[in-house]
Amino acid sequence: KFLIVVNLCLGLIFLSGFVHVKNKNYVILKSPKELLIPSTPCRAKTNVMFLKTHKTASSTVLNIMFRFVERYNLTVALPADQLFHLGYPKTFLARFVEEFQAIGQNYNIMCNHLRFNPSEVQKVMAANTFYFSILRNPIPLMESSYVYYKNDVPAFRISKGVNEYLASPMKYYHPADNRQNIYARNIMWFDFGYDNNAEDNEEYIQAVLKEIEQNFHLILIADYFDESMILLKHALCWDLDDVVYFKLNSRSQDTIQTLTPESKERVKSWCSLDWKLYLHFNQSFWRKIEETIGLKELEKEVNLLRIRQRELMESCLLDQEAVRMDHIENKALLPFQSGAASILGYNLRQGLDNRTLRTCQKMVLPELQYTSYLYAVQHPHKKRKQLGLPLLWTSLQER
């Protein structure tokens, strides 16, 4: 009998190696010789400020943040009145947040576009808030900005293409149009609250980098987006489904301009502040991964994220990929179109049950529509933000 009991125990221990237990307090080690052992417990962080930078996959991050807001019934610091940004490109002030005077420092999440101003953000967000942002390699960032803001930025509008612009930027970039031209030079530096036309001085740059490190707990890298989501998941103690995503605000391939090798090098000098910002935090990003997760575990979790993403795409999406705006059937899901870019969106499968449909809808809901929806939920007595598009949900009770 003793041997039977021992064998049963060993069998159960062996099988436990193949069981997925969603319990943050315990880890199942997959060797049959190892037992269920406690790990360091953690609690999901719900006070989070995301500095949404431009053309850095930040719309996809914003969608992740908004879904988290709904999951935990949190309060989000939304732009006041009819705006969809928090005063941008003005330097942020607390009064740019809807009902700040009434709600005070009781917002959980802040993630709409703003130009960072730590003292004013701290008036809105709790003392224990987790601050993070995202950067992108300035070379593809410049091309993306050029196409997306082609019609809005004087320096871009009067040049024929991105390579022509970069061949002689000062021919098109006039100091008098500085505020309109912010997207044309060191845009990330500007978003973090600094002068995007400042002199490339090593002492100044190091002082800014140090200040950003003091203000932010984590800086992600858009060029390694899946790895960034895993690092964010660990930092915030969130679940895999909290960071799973469909890519939003992406462009069709035919609107991408090819940079010449010379243009790529010119970006490094023309946007030298952004270039040095990116290099610095790209290094710290990988260092943080090695210190907290390790490359082996990272690879494993990235694979799990991609498997989960494929599962959701198969469940949710009619075409298994993003499509051009003229192929989007539900006009409530149309993404905002800008410049010379053709922004892609999604079609959902027919016949989904209500719960699955709502999950899928929120994963593909463009930034402006999601902001407008959450604003109506959170401030029902206020006039809804106008989009000129049909509402996705006719009743706010259908959540």
Side-chain angles (χ1 to χ4, degrees):
K1 286 183 179 178
F2 175 77
L3 285 173
I4 291 170
V5 171
V6 169
N7 286 333
L8 278 171
C9 290
L10 287 172
L12 287 170
I13 292 165
F14 179 79
L15 284 171
S16 73
F18 300 95
V19 177
H20 173 70
V21 174
K22 190 174 179 181
N23 184 337
K24 290 182 182 296
N25 297 322
Y26 291 93
V27 174
I28 292 179
L29 301 173
K30 294 198 174 181
S31 164
K33 293 179 182 177
E34 294 167 314
L35 298 171
L36 192 67
I37 61 167
S39 68
T40 306
C42 68
R43 180 176 293 177
K45 289 182 172 65
T46 53
N47 290 335
V48 184
M49 190 277 168
F50 169 56
L51 175 60
K52 188 179 188 295
T53 48
H54 286 81
K55 311 314 301 167
T56 58
S58 62
S59 292
T60 303
V61 179
L62 178 132
N63 181 272
I64 287 169
M65 301 298 292
F66 278 171
R67 284 187 283 123
F68 189 80
V69 164
E70 293 207 83
R71 178 181 174 183
Y72 286 97
N73 194 28
L74 303 176
T75 305
V76 58
L78 292 166
D81 303 320
Q82 292 298 303
L83 293 177
F84 287 88
H85 52 74
L86 291 160
Y88 195 90
K90 294 176 183 175
T91 301
F92 176 76
L93 297 174
R95 63 179 174 83
F96 296 158
V97 174
E98 186 64 77
E99 294 197 348
F100 164 70
Q101 298 297 339
I103 297 173
Q105 205 178 24
N106 292 310
Y107 295 91
N108 302 111
I109 303 290
M110 177 184 274
C111 55
N112 288 82
H113 275 305
L114 60 81
R115 190 177 184 210
F116 194 61
N117 182 5
S119 60
E120 288 291 307
V121 171
Q122 285 160 16
K123 291 179 183 178
V124 178
M125 302 303 292
N128 67 344
T129 295
F130 183 94
Y131 288 77
F132 80 101
S133 188
I134 189 166
L135 300 174
R136 183 184 182 187
N137 186 321
I139 297 170
L141 173 61
M142 171 56 74
E143 185 276 332
S144 180
S145 291
Y146 185 92
V147 175
Y148 194 83
Y149 297 110
K150 175 69 174 169
N151 300 335
D152 304 311
V153 174
F156 294 161
R157 199 165 51 233
I158 58 178
S159 54
K160 290 178 182 174
V162 67
N163 290 303
E164 180 182 286
Y165 171 69
L166 287 167
S168 183
M170 287 308 293
K171 181 179 174 182
Y172 308 102
Y173 187 92
H174 301 139
D177 299 324
N178 178 42
R179 188 46 64 100
Q180 291 175 280
N181 277 329
I182 52 174
Y183 303 105
R185 189 182 195 189
N186 294 313
I187 180 59
M188 295 187 293
W189 198 264
F190 182 87
D191 286 349
F192 274 86
Y194 303 100
D195 180 4
N196 61 320
N197 289 303
E199 187 182 339
D200 186 343
N201 174 284
E202 192 59 30
E203 188 178 343
Y204 164 68
I205 288 170
Q206 290 305 315
V208 167
L209 295 177
K210 187 176 180 182
E211 195 167 83
I212 293 172
E213 284 181 335
Q214 290 170 344
N215 287 329
F216 290 85
H217 298 92
L218 181 64
I219 304 292
L220 304 176
I221 301 295
D223 312 81
Y224 306 101
F225 194 80
D226 287 349
E227 292 83 355
S228 289
M229 291 305 97
I230 297 304
L231 187 56
L232 183 67
K233 168 183 164 292
H234 279 262
L236 297 177
C237 193
W238 287 8
D239 295 331
L240 188 68
D241 270 8
D242 291 328
V243 297
V244 74
Y245 67 93
F246 297 154
K247 187 187 277 189
L248 298 179
N249 211 34
S250 60
R251 289 179 291 153
S252 61
Q253 286 294 316
D254 61 340
T255 62
I256 295 174
Q257 298 185 19
T258 303
L259 289 170
T260 65
E262 294 79 15
S263 290
K264 290 177 181 179
E265 289 304 311
R266 286 175 186 138
V267 173
K268 296 177 187 178
S269 55
W270 174 242
C271 297
S272 62
L273 303 176
D274 269 4
W275 181 246
K276 289 176 180 176
L277 178 70
Y278 174 77
L279 289 180
H280 178 85
F281 284 104
N282 186 39
Q283 283 188 335
S284 70
F285 172 80
W286 290 106
R287 191 164 59 244
K288 190 152 284 194
I289 281 174
E290 288 177 1
E291 290 170 357
T292 58
I293 308 172
L295 293 174
K296 207 168 183 179
E297 177 65 20
L298 176 73
E299 184 181 4
K300 187 173 78 175
E301 293 199 39
V302 163
N303 285 334
L304 289 172
L305 176 66
R306 289 171 180 168
I307 289 167
R308 181 65 180 136
Q309 184 185 51
R310 283 196 297 272
E311 287 173 356
L312 286 166
M313 290 182 87
E314 288 171 10
S315 299
C316 293
L317 304 181
L318 183 64
D319 308 282
Q320 299 292 293
E321 61 182 4
V323 298
R324 296 178 73 102
M325 67 171 291
D326 51 349
H327 289 113
I328 298 171
E329 294 167 8
N330 187 341
K331 301 310 175 190
L333 296 175
L334 282 172
F336 176 72
Q337 302 293 314
S338 177
S342 175
I343 306 301
L344 305 176
Y346 294 96
N347 286 318
L348 298 178
R349 284 186 178 277
Q350 300 295 312
L352 298 174
D353 65 80
N354 287 341
R355 187 176 176 183
T356 304
L357 176 62
R358 189 50 51 90
T359 298
C360 297
Q361 284 175 330
K362 288 176 179 176
M363 289 196 69
V364 303
L365 195 58
E367 177 180 334
L368 300 187
Q369 286 93 315
Y370 215 151
T371 299
S372 176
Y373 167 66
L374 287 181
Y375 184 86
V377 170
Q378 199 165 287
H379 307 289
H381 59 291
K382 298 272 187 178
K383 182 184 177 184
R384 188 164 186 157
K385 292 182 187 289
Q386 301 303 302
L387 286 168
L389 292 169
L391 297 178
L392 186 59
W393 298 294
T394 54
S395 167
L396 294 176
Q397 305 307 313
E398 297 176 28
R399 293 183 63 195

